Amino acid sequence: MSAVGRLLRRKFHRTAINRADPDPWGSQARLTFAAQKANKHEAWAENARKIKAGNRKSMLTLLEERGLVKDIAGGRQALNNLLTEKPIGAYVGVDPTAPSLHVGHLLPLMALFWMYLHGYTAVTLLGTGTVRIGDPSGRTTARSRQSENEREQNCTAMRLQLKRLWQNVIALGVKHEHKNHISRERQVLLNHTWLEGVPAMDLVTKLGSEMRLGAMLAKDTVRTRLEGDDGMSLSEFLYPLFQGYDWWHQYKTWGVQMQLGGSDQYGNICAGMEAVDAMRRHEDIPGDLNDPLKATYGITTPLLTTPSGEKFGKSAGNAVWLDKDMMSSFDLYQYFLSTPDTHVERYLKLFTFFPSDEINLAMRAQEADPSKRIAQHLLAKSVVELAHGANAAVEAEQVHKSIFAGRSTITFDKSALGGSITSRGIPAPQLSKEQASLLEHKLRFAGKAKPSSTAAEAGDGLTGLTVHLPESVVQSASDFSQVLLAAGLVSSKSAGRRLIDSRGAYVVVPRSSDTEDKNILNWSPIEPQHTPKDFVIQHSERFVVVRYGKSKLRICRLIDEWKFKRKGRVLPEEVEMQGETAPQSEQEQKKTVPSVPEAESAELRR
């Protein structure tokens, strides 16, 4: 039968069905949906019976055992009963004040991910409306005003990031064998979509009339700000009003009865609970307002600190970004690999989906031979897998093993320079004007000078582990500050000099092997008198290998200046090149660039 004949036959078949039943599939779909709903209800009831009988842990108990619960608003017993009886909705809200989430955001999100994998409705709320006000929680000064363009770029970047993060969570759920027959729902919502449509009079009369100034003025943040020189703006003071309305909208639309947040969000969560109760009274929602199974609750997660006790976060200046353009998969892996033995078990519970018995097994192996850092490698790979995906995690692990060959950061394996790390043949993707602008915004926000080989240009999948530098940059440099800048490790020469003065920058020393394996070279702190040209490693090509702290490493592959320009790459303005001439027009550049043999053209595409 011809294609046209088959098409006509299908069309006739559909027409015949439609004449017999104007809604042939709708009835069946409704029956199927009803059956699924009944099955879910029965499965949930069976799960509740097992929890009450002590044969299964409750959701709240699981979160507590993982270390994800600090404070509970609304009462522990009432919340435990609710989570046992109903697959309620829960949400985490994030205002996009930056183009990326950081590690500090992960704790409330991890609690939400655990709930999602156990069948609860999970909502990640992006504060595309409330970001215009700025959350004052935990701040002693007002947030810096961002331009409309900056806010739009932050919203775009973080929305894409949340989408990727959820995809990775789903994959990890499969990997860790969470039941795939459990009905799960998730949403990524943008709060400007409803806040912009709320009449001011409605917000003030329905919600504002129920919120008491005494409780709002009693908050620590408000008291501190009012006692300070700058005070607090009215918009910041009213922030809980808008956050409360967010919760109300989700409560009536998605059945969201719980909010998860960081420890600094407890006051906002309590205000949100009051706001939902106020709107329920105004809207005459059927049911008893005192029914604990219809009430709202909150959980705050512990404050995440570095091993030295400092707070993680953008405002603290030590944000560990989850966007691979702002922190590479390799750098993220290296960061968590440096976790002290005293913290690694806690971090495995907080940041991974491994069950407790597997974590205990890893810790026993760690105690048997701490030098292998088995638990740290497990943690590092798991965090990268969550943030960047499984492929990035495997690649970061392989690169680490290739470079360090199982040794500590006091040595570097030179043989890695001749491998796939520095000779990847993946073509660089072409960025649209919008993508290029977003990438530049991310790098600028992360405090990075744009390296000579950006993630998109290098195409190495590791976001700049290997960068290309003109040989003249190294030959002309009187110290290492401009090499650190050109490699993207610091944002300015002065920052590079400060890093060198504090002995926080390192370089691989050529011909420094003190073992039988001459490929194993030593790291040395960079001294102010060191000149980069004395640290060039010859290994099929020429390299300089530098490191910032324990984890941020760059392999600088040195190439001719004309090749560097032909690749379309640029250096930060502060970086000088030997014999540099005034900028030429595009036509002049074409005249002065020498012709390239076909073999070298292939080299340029690497």
Side-chain angles (χ1 to χ4, degrees):
M1 183 181 293
S2 68
V4 174
R6 287 194 297 271
L7 180 62
L8 290 173
R9 182 175 179 180
R10 285 199 299 270
K11 184 176 179 181
F12 174 82
H13 182 62
R14 285 197 300 269
T15 303
I17 292 176
N18 289 339
R19 285 173 181 166
D21 182 356
D23 186 22
W25 313 122
S27 300
Q28 184 61 42
R30 285 192 293 272
L31 288 172
T32 302
F33 177 78
Q36 289 174 344
K37 189 174 181 180
N39 290 338
K40 179 179 179 179
H41 180 78
E42 179 55 38
W44 201 269
E46 176 61 23
N47 184 62
R49 286 191 288 270
K50 291 180 179 179
I51 292 173
K52 291 174 183 177
N55 298 324
R56 185 171 293 175
K57 293 177 183 178
S58 69
M59 186 73 248
L60 185 55
T61 299
L62 187 150
L63 295 178
E64 289 171 332
E65 289 182 352
R66 305 293 298 196
L68 290 167
V69 178
K70 180 180 183 291
D71 295 308
I72 297 173
R76 187 196 183 283
Q77 189 57 49
L79 177 57
N80 193 48
N81 290 339
L82 175 64
L83 293 176
T84 299
E85 295 291 343
K86 292 172 62 178
I88 64 165
Y91 91 100
V92 172
V94 181
D95 280 351
T97 55
S100 172
L101 300 167
H102 55 71
V103 168
H105 288 115
L106 269 185
L107 292 195
L109 285 171
M110 283 300 297
L112 185 71
F113 297 154
W114 274 107
M115 292 185 68
Y116 169 76
L117 293 174
H118 283 77
Y120 297 87
T121 298
V123 176
T124 38
L125 175 65
L126 198 55
T128 49
T130 45
V131 71
R132 301 175 192 175
I133 302 171
D135 184 1
S137 300
R139 298 187 63 88
T140 56
T141 59
R143 293 181 183 273
S144 301
R145 287 288 177 185
Q146 293 181 327
S147 68
E148 188 66 30
N149 181 59
E150 285 178 307
R151 286 199 299 267
E152 287 179 2
Q153 287 187 313
N154 289 344
C155 293
T156 298
M158 201 172 281
R159 186 180 184 184
L160 292 172
Q161 185 180 41
L162 284 171
K163 182 179 178 181
R164 289 191 295 268
L165 201 56
W166 272 115
Q167 290 171 344
N168 295 339
V169 169
I170 292 169
L172 285 165
V174 174
K175 175 180 176 178
H176 291 284
E177 299 181 349
H178 285 272
K179 297 177 181 178
N180 56 14
H181 66 270
I182 292 179
S183 176
R184 300 185 180 100
E185 293 183 46
R186 59 186 171 85
Q187 297 287 335
V188 177
L189 302 179
L190 314 178
N191 66 3
H192 80 276
T193 58
W194 58 78
L195 287 179
E196 288 180 351
V198 178
M201 287 299 293
D202 280 2
L203 193 65
V204 172
T205 55
K206 292 182 179 179
L207 194 51
S209 61
E210 297 287 341
M211 301 185 76
R212 292 292 171 259
L213 280 175
M216 297 173 73
L217 290 168
K219 291 182 179 180
D220 291 338
T221 296
V222 175
R223 264 204 325 272
T224 302
R225 292 286 297 279
L226 291 179
E227 291 169 0
D229 295 335
D230 295 333
M232 173 181 269
S233 68
L234 179 62
S235 62
E236 288 180 295
F237 183 69
L238 293 177
Y239 184 90
L241 192 73
F242 292 92
Q243 192 177 37
Y245 192 89
D246 282 342
W247 195 346
W248 161 244
H249 179 83
Q250 295 173 88
Y251 179 90
K252 67 177 181 179
T253 307
W254 300 102
V256 172
Q257 290 182 248
M258 190 170 80
Q259 183 181 355
L260 298 150
S263 58
D264 61 346
Q265 290 295 308
Y266 187 81
N268 283 343
I269 289 173
C270 291
M273 292 166 63
E274 295 171 6
V276 173
D277 286 345
M279 293 302 291
R280 287 175 68 197
R281 287 192 292 271
H282 270 287
E283 298 286 334
D284 294 326
I285 298 296
D288 185 359
L289 287 174
N290 297 318
D291 184 354
L293 294 181
K294 294 185 178 178
T296 51
Y297 300 85
I299 287 179
T300 61
T301 55
L303 179 68
L304 184 65
T305 58
T306 65
S308 60
E310 298 174 332
K311 176 185 175 182
F312 274 103
K314 175 167 58 70
S315 57
N318 62 349
V320 179
W321 301 108
L322 300 183
D323 188 296
K324 65 166 59 177
D325 290 330
M326 297 171 71
M327 188 168 196
S328 73
S329 301
F330 178 79
D331 285 345
L332 188 60
Y333 188 98
Q334 292 296 108
Y335 180 86
F336 278 95
L337 187 62
S338 66
T339 302
D341 291 345
T342 53
H343 286 63
V344 68
E345 183 175 7
R346 178 178 179 239
Y347 282 9
L348 281 168
K349 290 179 179 179
L350 291 175
F351 297 123
T352 78
F353 295 103
F354 288 106
S356 297
D357 56 346
E358 292 186 27
I359 293 176
N360 293 336
L361 189 64
M363 292 310 301
R364 284 199 295 272
Q366 173 86 0
E367 291 166 5
D369 189 352
S371 65
K372 290 184 177 179
R373 302 182 72 76
I374 292 171
Q376 280 89 345
H377 278 286
L378 186 64
L379 170 67
K381 187 175 181 180
S382 298
V383 173
V384 175
E385 188 171 2
L386 173 63
H388 299 168
N391 291 340
V394 170
E395 193 168 19
E397 180 186 44
Q398 289 175 344
V399 169
H400 171 85
K401 290 179 178 178
S402 177
I403 290 175
F404 296 110
R407 299 170 177 87
S408 68
T409 53
I410 62 172
T411 58
F412 177 85
D413 189 347
K414 186 175 71 170
S415 62
L417 298 176
S420 61
I421 297 170
T422 58
S423 59
R424 297 176 187 274
I426 305 171
Q430 293 297 315
L431 298 181
S432 67
K433 183 178 179 181
E434 292 76 14
Q435 290 171 325
S437 175
L438 187 59
L439 176 60
E440 185 178 350
H441 173 66
K442 289 178 183 179
L443 295 175
R444 185 170 60 248
F445 200 97
K448 290 182 179 181
K450 185 176 180 181
S452 62
S453 178
T454 65
E457 292 166 336
D460 64 3
L462 293 166
T463 316
L465 172 61
T466 300
V467 297
H468 295 79
L469 294 185
E471 176 95 29
S472 57
V473 168
V474 171
Q475 295 298 328
S476 65
S478 59
D479 61 40
F480 265 92
S481 60
Q482 82 166 4
V483 173
L484 295 173
L485 172 60
L489 288 177
V490 294
S491 58
S492 66
K493 280 188 180 181
S494 58
R497 293 189 188 102
R498 288 194 298 271
L499 184 65
I500 292 169
D501 290 340
S502 65
R503 297 178 68 83
Y506 302 83
V507 62
V508 173
V509 182
R511 300 176 297 281
S512 60
S513 177
D514 50 15
T515 68
E516 292 183 4
D517 186 351
K518 298 305 178 184
N519 283 324
I520 304 303
L521 304 179
N522 295 320
W523 287 96
S524 170
I526 297 174
E527 302 291 349
Q529 68 272 18
H530 283 164
T531 53
K533 64 183 179 182
D534 295 329
F535 291 85
V536 175
I537 300 170
Q538 183 71 44
H539 188 80
S540 70
E541 295 180 83
R542 291 164 65 79
F543 301 90
V544 173
V545 184
V546 288
R547 197 180 84 223
Y548 175 169
K550 290 184 178 180
S551 57
K552 293 185 179 180
L553 181 146
R554 294 293 180 270
I555 298 173
C556 304
R557 180 180 175 212
L558 307 183
I559 59 176
D560 292 336
E561 186 177 334
W562 67 267
K563 290 183 180 180
F564 182 84
K565 288 181 177 180
R566 178 63 68 87
K567 287 172 179 285
R569 305 203 173 137
V570 294
L571 290 166
E573 291 179 3
E574 284 190 82
V575 176
E576 300 170 358
M577 290 191 289
Q578 197 174 48
E580 187 177 13
T581 58
Q584 298 172 303
S585 68
E586 186 175 350
Q587 296 246 347
E588 289 173 325
Q589 287 179 5
K590 288 179 180 177
K591 291 177 184 176
T592 56
V593 173
S595 59
V596 187
E598 184 59 33
E600 290 188 327
S601 295
E603 154 66 18
L604 290 176
R605 291 192 291 270
R606 280 171 47 181

